[in-house]
Structures are given as structure tokens and as C-alpha cells.
Amino acid sequence: MRIDDANARRRRGGRIGRLLAGAMVLALASPASAQTVSQIDQLLALDLTALLRVRVTLPSRVAEEAFAVPAAVFVIGADEIRRSGHRRLADVLRLVPGLHVGQIDSGKRVVSARNGMLRFSSTMLVMVDGRHVYTPLYGGVRWEQLDLPLETIERIEIVRGPGGALWGANAVDGIVHVITRPAAADDGTQGALALGSGELRGDAVLARSGRLGAGTQWRLQLRGYESDRGSHLPAAQSTHRDRRVPGSEAGDGGRAIHAGLRSDSRLGDGHTLATHWALSHQGIDEERALARGVLPNHISAGQASAGADWQRALAGGGALRLQAGLSHRRTADDILDERETLLDADLQHTAPAIGGALAWGLGARHYRSASTLPAARPCVACFTLLPEVATDTTVHGFVQQQQPLSEMLRLTLGSKFERSRRGGFHVQPTLRLAWTPVADQLLWAALTSPVRNATRSERDQAFVDVAPADVALFGCRSVVQGVCAVGNAQAPYWRVRSAEAGWRLRAGVTWGVDLALFDNRYDMRNAAGSAATAVSGSRLHGAELTLRWNPLPQLRLAADLTRHRGSERTLAGLRRPVTLLPEDRAHVGVRWQPAGHWRLDADLYTASAMSRPAGAATITLPRQRRLDLRAAWRAAPATELALGVTNARGDGGAEAVELNKVNTAPRRAALLTLTHGF
Amino acid sequence: MARAARRPAVLALACALALLPLRAPAQAQADEAALKLAYLYNFAQFVSWPAESFAEAQAPLVLCVAGRDPWGPMLDRLGGRVVAGHTLRVARPRGVSEARGCHLLYVDDVAGQAWLLAALAEAPVLTVASQADAEAAAPPPATIGFVRRGERLGWAVNLELLRKARLKLSSKLLEMAVRLHDGERAP
């Protein structure tokens, strides 16, 4: 059996090796295809008037900006977001190599970079226009609450692995930065209306832009949508004992409304000011899986946020940037009423120095979390947080020098310094090298050591009304008047030692190869910095390969392969594979424009099966195969009618897990979307 | 079951195919990089350089790309063509002194080459830069900036930098520009 496994692994490894070698040979051998050359010759024969009429089929800028970055970077532009056919932010991230996106139920998603597919296991930093949107409560992101209209997003930048000195704590396994389009980039009114079944029942977006005086532009955006319900899972994939008929409709679903305002002002003398305002509310249905059965639960989540971003270009090529944001969120359901307030401010300065570029910054973040139990407790052993009110303030600074060592070699050296009242003081150094032996190739390597602080839920979680017989079951550290404290006020933090390397190559606009390798060691440490006694850590390593081929201006093909392997040490000191880690993942994407007004797009995804011990049993998530299709007809530059069928094969099983909840599988879904600008 | 599972996909494809005959006549389309190269070649025909830019009447016209090169060998194929009485020569300068020998210089990575653009501000070099969509309304960081408007690619002209460089653009190039910027005066 072992020999078979080893042979199978060798065969798989051999396949990837051959693919890599093939990609290298092709990329090196065909720097410019005959097709591209003849296209250039045709274009050179045109005059300016004729050139102005030519339509751009391949916006290359986004990819080119990412080319020189010595990290595993991926950028999704606005056109790619639209052509993905998805209308939820988390689902769009399925396009990113090395990232795993899984559905928990019809509304909720898990997004994980180099980590397992559990809802509350996130170690990613997620930002919208520089403002942190992850919840410090558990260090993760409630993706269902990120409901801004995708039409207003200019691009999404994704860094897999530690982000480096510039980014904040939690940037351990990845960064997702959503950047919305400046109001100045829009004109008039844009609307989108989508109707469908299987995933979304309806989605309506309206965005209007205008001018206020000479130097200010604004955009108001409104969105409302309703999710369809998911279907129950087969017993082997289910996390609860009260089995429902597989494939039957579950009690999930939900609806959301969002209103946002953005303004961009040019204040003269190189000053610019952008402000963001947003209000939103979600009503999310789910089912809780308890020992005594399945109970419906309704989550009501409201958010308000405001942010400002002031920038000034300095004489001599430098820049000064000040960002500040305030957000408040209330999430209430049958179990807990939870209010979070987050205030953050960041100052960054970049300037040419000693033949390179020096960047430094200072910032502060204040967090307040208050939770109360509902008056009528519907459950026994309800989850809660004690103390009911907790605050924490973090101050941080960073300094980073980017230094050219020669024409071809660039060094980035820096560190982040962070101090929080509850998490202590941490230094997080970064060293990156970028080598450009020829203009179209980049080899990079990085050594980083980020930190993930313990979260509020790790410190303060507790269960109320725990029966004396269940004290051991819940792992109570203390029990006072039936309240079982599970969290640890001195909860250890994670120190990660990460080594990464990568190779990027492109041949004109025709070919591109991007390979990233990483090895992460996670050590759990107590506040004094020594290794924690119980669990000492885990190790994860892997390779992520992306190939891009544009054989024709109208046809773009992309393929990516991800292979992750990991092991963790259990409480008993045994090593075992990281649970719920999709070890192998592949994606093939086709973007075809057969005629001027038509776009036909397809994405095929596969991911290996995953498992996790759950008491005496094991939860197994099956091998994933997913096909998303989209056909769009662009009647005018601003009018498009698109029909999308997601999960077209319809045979997907569970993709991710939230314990103690009824998880559902994605259904085959169709969506007809009309977008129109006027 | 499997056949049933495929039905919506087949349906979607059938709908798409059924609508195909409705398509409008095909329009010219190209990669952004290829289009930029064609523009650069065209720009060279509409610029007047100061007399001292050419050592002699037959001196070559030097077309340069600094830093990231989006074209590779495709750019080299332009070498040898004749533009406004000069033979075109392609170069990839590695420093300011080499870049001063260019007549037309393209910068793709504006952030990485900002130092070079600043150093060439008063040299008689037509600098052309790729301008980020988000900065489409701002003055180009070079004499000419490529600006994307939807699916079309146009250009904006920075008249202040043009004056400093002592270059003259033909009225056609100015009239067809998406935007003209002149210092802090109204765009």
C-alpha cells in the first residue's frame, strides 16, 4: 500500500515536473508568436485615427505591475471579476492560484491561503481600500458581510504568504486587498440586475457618479441581493448527527442591503483626499446542529464604516499618506449579541534614500468588543465571551529600505514592530531579494517571520449553563455558577518562520509562467517568548504554479496547479497531516472573444479530498470538481447581457466546515445579469 | 443523473450559440502592449526635436524602453524602419547618460523609473509613460501618458513637461489627445 502511494506520488510529481519543463521550454523557445508579430505589423500600418478605433482585448498593465514584486502576488482586474461570473467577493477569489475557497452554506464562505478549510482558522489580512475588515474577534473574515458591489472594484491584489513589513499583524498566510475604483474614473449612472436560482435569487446594483465643484468627484452605490438556499450533504460529509435527506433544501439563505459613498478630491499642490462611507445590513439564515437536534438560527448583522485617505506627492519623488477609519458592527443571533468597534490610523512616508527607496510608517488600532447573551437563552451550553467587554490597543511601526545592489539585483530589508496591551511586543523582520537576469525574467527569494496574535475568542471564550458532567467535554479551565471558561487570557501567539522563492517569466504578451515555493514553520509561543508547552507547532510547504498563454488576442488561457503538504503536532506529541487542507488543486480558465461583442468564459476547478477527525468519526470532504460557464453579449460598450451557470456539473459536495452548524453543498446555479450604463 | 446534471450547461451553451448570429460586425482589436508599440511608432512622426538632438541630418532616431520591456524581440523588429527621414534604432538604456541619447523613451513601470523621468525632465526626449487607470485624471508623469478609457487606449499630454523638454508636437497629436494638462492650470 505504501509502495503504491509512493509510486502514485512519484507519478504525480513526475507529471508536474514534466509540465514545468515543458512550460520552460515553450516559454524560452517562443518569445513572440507568429500571430503576435503579424498583429504588430498590421497595427504599424495604421495611422493615429485608425489606432484610436482599435479595442484593447488584453489589458496587460495589471499583470505587469505585479511582475516585478518579489512575493507570490496575484492581481484580479475589473474585467476578470466581471468575466468570472461570480457576484460574491469570496467566490471571485477562486481564480487565485494557491487560494482555497469553500462554501459553508449558501451565504458563508471560507477563504484560506496555505491553511485548512475551517471557518474560524483564518490567518489572512483582508482590507478594503486600506481599511482592515477582518474581525479581531477570531482573526478571520466574515466574507458574507463584505457585500460591496463588485462593479465598483478596480482590482483585488492578493499576496500569498507573509506580506512583509508594510502590512499589519495577521498577514501570516496571505493578504487580500480590495481596491475600489476612484469616483473620478466613473461617469454617469451604472446599473446591474441579476436574476437566478441555485445561488442568488436576485441582485440589484445602482451606482451614480457626479462632480461637486471643480476638484471633487463622488460616487453613490446601492446594492440589494437575496441568496438562494443550499442543499443538505450526504451523511459522510456532514458535521452533525441529525441527518437530513441529502440534496434536500436546507434552511440557509439570506438577504443584504448596502449603501456606500466615495468621494475623491484633488486639493491642489499634490494633495488628494478620498473618503469612504458605507452602511449595510444582512439577514442570514442558518441551522445550528446541537446534540438535541437541528435548530434554525437567524443572524442579523449591521455595519457602519467611514474612512479617509489623504495623500501628498513630495518634491523629489517621495509621498506622504495618512489613512484613518472607523467601523462599527453588530452581529446578533439567538446565541450572542456582539458589538465590535474598530478605529485605525496609519501614516506612511516614502522617499528616495541612499540610492534606493526608504519607506517608514506609524499606526495605531483600537478595538472594542462587547457581547451579551440574549434575554431568553434558547440553548444549553451557549457560546459566549467573558469578560463581556474587552478592549485592546495596538501601536505599530515599520521601516523598509528597497536597495538596488546592481543593475539586476534588488534587496528589500525591513521590519515591522508591534505592541499591543494584550498581545505584547513583537518584531517581524523581512528580507527579500529580486534578481532580474534578463528583462523578462525574475527570480526572487524571501525570509520573513510574521506573528499571529491570540484572538479575543481564544482568550475569552466561555460556555454558559454547562452541566457538571460536561465540564471535561468542553475543556473548561474553570467553572463558576455554571459558566465554563475555555479561553486562556495568556493564550500563546504564533511565530511563523517562512522561507519563499519564486520564478517569473514572460515572453511578450503571449506567455507567462509564475512559480512560487514556500516552507512555513509555525511555532506556538507563550507571552514570554518561549515555546508553549502543549502544542509546539506545525509545518507547511508547497508549490504554486501558474501558466498563462494568449495564443490569439481574442483568446486567453490560464492554468494553475497548487500542491500543499503539511503536518502538525498534536497534544500527545504525534505528527499528523494538517486537517482539512486541500493538498492538490488545479484550475483551468478560458476567456474567449469569438466576435467583437461576444465573450465566452469557462473555469474548471479540481481539489483533492480532505478529512478531519470529529470525535470517533471522521468528516471527509470529497474531491472537488467544479465547472463555471458564462456567455455574455455586449450590445454597447456599457451594456452587457450575461448568462452564467456556476457549478454546472452539479455534483459538488461539501467544500468547507463550520462545526456545530448545518453545512450545505453548492448547487448548480444559473444567473442572468444585465449591466447598463447611462 | 449525469445526463440531467449536464442539462443546464448544455442549455447555456445552446442559448449562447443561438444568439451568435446576432453579433455585430467584428471590430479591430489588439493586445494593449501591441497597440502601445504602434502608437509610439506613430508618435515619432509628429514630434519636432531641437536641431542639436541629431548630430547630423542622417543620424538615427533612437527609440528606447527603460526598465520593464513589454515587447522584447517585437520591439527590435522596428529597427531599420525609416521615420521622418531618420532610420529607427532601438535601445534599452541602463542609466541617465544613456537615456539622454534617446529621442523617444517609453517607461512601463512608472513607480520604478520615476527617478529616470525626473532626471530627463529638461532633456529633449519625448518621454511616454503608461498611466494607471486610477490616475487617469492626473497629469501624466511623462510628456505623454497612455490612458485607457473602457476598451479604447488614448493619450494625455503634459504641456509643462513638453515645454521643459523643448519639444513640439504636431497639432494633430494635441487635438486627438484625451486630455491636455498644463501645470496647475485647469486640465
Side-chain angles (χ1 to χ4, degrees):
Chain A
M1 186 64 190
R2 263 186 204 161
I3 293 169
D4 286 352
D5 280 354
N7 282 339
R9 273 166 193 265
R10 208 170 296 137
R11 278 198 300 276
R12 283 200 299 268
R15 272 207 302 273
I16 290 179
R18 278 199 297 279
L19 201 66
L20 247 173
M24 284 174 72
V25 167
L26 280 167
L28 292 169
S30 65
S33 72
Q35 203 283 330
T36 315
V37 167
S38 87
Q39 185 193 51
I40 292 265
D41 287 343
Q42 285 171 18
L43 288 172
L44 289 174
L46 300 179
D47 64 9
L48 283 176
T49 317
L51 284 174
L52 277 172
R53 283 200 288 266
V54 176
R55 294 167 46 241
V56 175
T57 56
L58 180 67
S60 53
R61 186 179 307 133
V62 167
E64 280 167 14
E65 276 174 14
F67 186 83
V69 179
V73 180
F74 192 82
V75 181
I76 306 176
D79 187 55
E80 195 58 18
I81 294 172
R82 184 169 55 237
R83 293 182 74 169
S84 74
H86 295 298
R87 297 200 58 81
R88 286 178 206 269
L89 185 59
D91 283 327
V92 173
L93 299 176
R94 290 180 191 270
L95 296 170
V96 183
L99 223 64
H100 304 294
V101 178
Q103 167 170 330
I104 290 169
D105 60 31
S106 79
K108 291 183 243 141
R109 300 286 184 273
V110 172
V111 179
S112 121
R114 303 172 177 178
N115 208 328
M117 297 298 284
L118 263 171
R119 173 152 163 87
F120 296 111
S121 66
S122 182
T123 46
M124 281 203 307
L125 175 66
V126 182
M127 297 180 288
V128 177
D129 291 321
R131 189 173 51 81
H132 295 200
V133 292
Y134 78 103
T135 160
L137 175 66
Y138 66 91
V141 174
R142 292 189 174 101
W143 289 95
E144 67 277 12
Q145 294 184 10
L146 275 180
D147 56 6
L148 72 168
L150 300 191
E151 286 80 2
T152 60
I153 298 176
E154 179 177 271
R155 56 203 238 145
I156 309 172
E157 297 177 350
I158 301 104
V159 182
R160 302 185 305 276
L166 265 67
W167 308 106
N170 231 55
V172 169
D173 285 323
I175 298 165
V176 174
H177 192 183
V178 178
I179 297 158
T180 61
R181 230 178 19 251
D186 290 337
D187 221 2
T189 306
Q190 198 193 11
L193 182 68
L195 295 170
S197 75
E199 192 187 309
L200 281 179
R201 286 180 179 162
D203 187 357
V205 171
L206 193 67
R208 171 142 183 85
S209 307
R211 272 178 184 275
L212 196 71
T216 299
Q217 276 173 296
W218 56 267
R219 181 179 62 234
L220 177 69
Q221 61 211 37
L222 303 167
R223 182 186 187 192
Y225 68 80
E226 183 170 0
S227 305
D228 207 347
R229 289 163 182 266
S231 56
H232 282 116
L233 293 165
Q237 300 167 28
S238 182
T239 57
H240 58 99
R241 276 182 237 131
D242 183 11
R243 313 286 186 221
R244 301 299 171 98
V245 179
S248 62
E249 198 172 72
D252 53 0
R255 56 222 59 81
I257 49 168
H258 166 104
L261 178 68
R262 174 175 176 148
S263 75
D264 289 89
S265 308
R266 301 189 74 81
L267 306 174
D269 197 22
H271 297 255
T272 60
L273 177 70
T275 65
H276 312 259
W277 311 83
L279 275 175
S280 69
H281 183 268
Q282 293 93 20
I284 300 157
D285 297 324
E286 62 172 21
E287 289 173 314
R288 299 176 57 224
L290 300 172
R292 63 192 161 106
V294 169
L295 286 181
N297 187 30
H298 178 77
I299 304 168
S300 167
Q303 301 167 80
S305 66
D309 180 356
W310 173 83
Q311 293 184 54
R312 186 185 179 184
L314 301 174
L320 195 62
R321 182 173 198 177
L322 181 65
Q323 280 177 291
L326 174 67
S327 63
H328 180 76
R329 176 176 15 215
R330 182 175 181 181
T331 310
D333 63 7
D334 295 345
I335 312 164
L336 199 64
D337 185 347
E338 182 196 316
R339 293 170 302 280
E340 286 182 284
T341 307
L342 195 63
L343 174 66
D344 54 8
D346 280 286
L347 173 76
Q348 278 191 23
H349 178 258
T350 49
I354 349 168
L358 177 74
W360 64 270
L362 290 170
R365 190 166 74 232
H366 180 73
Y367 165 64
R368 183 181 189 273
S369 160
S371 58
T372 45
L373 287 168
R377 285 178 203 164
C379 55
V380 175
C382 280
F383 171 82
T384 188
L385 294 160
L386 290 175
E388 287 190 340
V389 178
T391 59
D392 199 7
T393 305
T394 307
V395 288
H396 57 259
F398 77 86
V399 60
Q400 176 176 291
Q401 172 77 12
Q402 216 180 71
Q403 192 72 31
L405 298 179
S406 73
E407 289 282 353
M408 291 183 274
L409 199 61
R410 222 167 0 113
L411 170 79
T412 306
L413 186 64
S415 184
K416 188 175 175 70
F417 309 92
E418 189 170 82
R419 180 171 194 88
S420 73
R421 195 164 47 77
R422 300 191 85 184
F425 178 73
H426 301 296
V427 178
Q428 305 179 51
T430 298
L431 170 74
R432 283 176 197 274
L433 268 177
W435 183 45
T436 319
V438 289
D440 284 331
Q441 274 199 51
L442 175 83
L443 283 147
W444 63 270
L447 291 172
T448 42
S449 182
V451 162
R452 177 194 180 269
N453 268 323
T455 60
R456 155 107 151 121
S457 69
E458 284 163 24
R459 290 194 178 104
D460 300 337
Q461 66 170 298
F463 295 92
V464 290
D465 300 337
V466 172
D470 289 340
V471 166
L473 180 73
F474 280 89
C476 305
R477 299 169 67 88
S478 67
V479 183
V480 180
Q481 294 179 334
V483 177
C484 147
V486 177
N488 175 6
Q490 299 301 316
Y493 65 92
W494 290 94
R495 164 71 73 179
V496 186
R497 284 169 296 154
S498 171
E500 294 174 278
W503 173 61
R504 218 168 270 150
L505 177 146
R506 63 177 170 186
V509 293
T510 315
W511 268 98
V513 181
D514 192 346
L515 174 70
L517 307 169
F518 72 93
D519 181 64
N520 290 353
R521 287 158 197 259
Y522 303 79
D523 291 316
M524 202 181 245
R525 295 171 187 229
N526 62 29
S530 58
T533 47
V535 181
S536 71
S538 57
R539 185 180 174 186
L540 209 70
H541 56 100
E544 294 148 1
L545 172 72
T546 311
L547 305 170
R548 309 256 159 235
W549 183 36
N550 308 313
L552 302 167
Q554 309 90 329
L555 182 64
R556 286 186 274 154
L557 306 172
D560 55 72
L561 292 169
T562 300
R563 167 168 280 207
H564 290 167
R565 294 285 181 273
S567 62
E568 58 192 7
R569 196 170 292 164
T570 64
L571 284 167
L574 298 171
R575 281 215 165 268
R576 66 173 186 201
V578 172
T579 54
L580 290 178
L581 177 75
E583 294 197 323
D584 297 306
R585 177 196 187 268
H587 161 234
V588 176
V590 181
R591 302 286 178 268
W592 184 34
Q593 204 172 327
H597 290 233
W598 277 93
R599 280 151 187 78
L600 299 177
D601 307 313
D603 287 284
L604 179 68
Y605 304 89
T606 70
S608 52
M610 299 163 256
S611 65
R612 182 186 199 275
T618 300
I619 305 166
T620 302
L621 305 189
R623 185 180 175 77
Q624 308 287 324
R625 284 192 192 84
R626 182 187 171 102
L627 176 66
D628 296 340
L629 299 167
R630 181 177 183 270
W633 182 56
R634 198 166 286 183
T639 306
E640 186 182 81
L641 183 66
L643 176 67
V645 179
T646 51
N647 198 25
R649 293 168 58 102
D651 52 2
E655 293 183 334
V657 169
E658 180 176 8
L659 296 171
N660 306 320
K661 298 281 168 70
V662 173
N663 300 170
T664 62
R667 290 164 62 189
R668 185 186 305 115
L671 198 67
L672 189 68
T673 311
L674 174 70
T675 45
H676 182 57
F678 40 88
Chain B
M1 188 68 187
R3 195 171 293 173
R6 278 188 208 116
R7 222 170 275 154
V10 173
L11 216 97
L13 202 65
C15 286
L17 290 172
L19 288 168
L20 262 175
L22 292 175
R23 71 175 192 259
Q27 296 175 11
Q29 44 193 349
D31 299 332
E32 187 172 322
L35 195 55
K36 282 177 180 168
L37 189 57
Y39 270 129
L40 282 186
Y41 177 69
N42 258 278
F43 289 165
Q45 304 171 31
F46 296 99
V47 188
S48 304
W49 280 270
E52 71 267 20
S53 286
F54 294 95
E56 52 186 21
Q58 299 305 312
L61 195 155
V62 186
L63 169 63
C64 301
V65 57
R68 198 160 62 201
D69 173 7
W71 305 294
M74 287 190 295
L75 176 65
D76 296 316
R77 286 171 48 83
L78 258 61
R81 287 176 178 248
V82 178
V83 178
H86 300 278
T87 308
L88 207 62
R89 188 162 71 79
V90 170
R92 293 175 179 81
R94 293 229 160 190
V96 178
S97 56
E98 280 181 46
R100 284 185 195 277
C102 305
H103 293 97
L104 202 153
L105 177 121
Y106 175 72
V107 168
D108 203 64
D109 166 26
V110 174
Q113 301 292 325
W115 58 277
L116 182 64
L117 289 173
L120 291 178
E122 295 187 0
V125 179
L126 185 84
T127 50
V128 182
S130 207
Q131 209 165 346
D133 293 346
E135 294 294 321
T143 50
I144 293 184
F146 282 124
V147 183
R148 218 153 70 83
R149 308 186 93 191
E151 292 183 319
R152 303 280 197 271
L153 189 70
W155 64 90
V157 179
N158 189 325
L159 297 171
E160 194 184 0
L161 288 178
L162 200 68
R163 271 195 302 272
K164 281 186 184 167
R166 292 172 290 128
L167 299 174
K168 288 199 171 67
L169 294 191
S170 84
S171 57
K172 186 176 181 185
L173 208 56
L174 294 173
E175 279 164 15
M176 291 169 76
V178 172
R179 228 175 257 115
L180 300 177
H181 294 268
D182 198 359
E184 282 304 316
R185 277 178 266 166

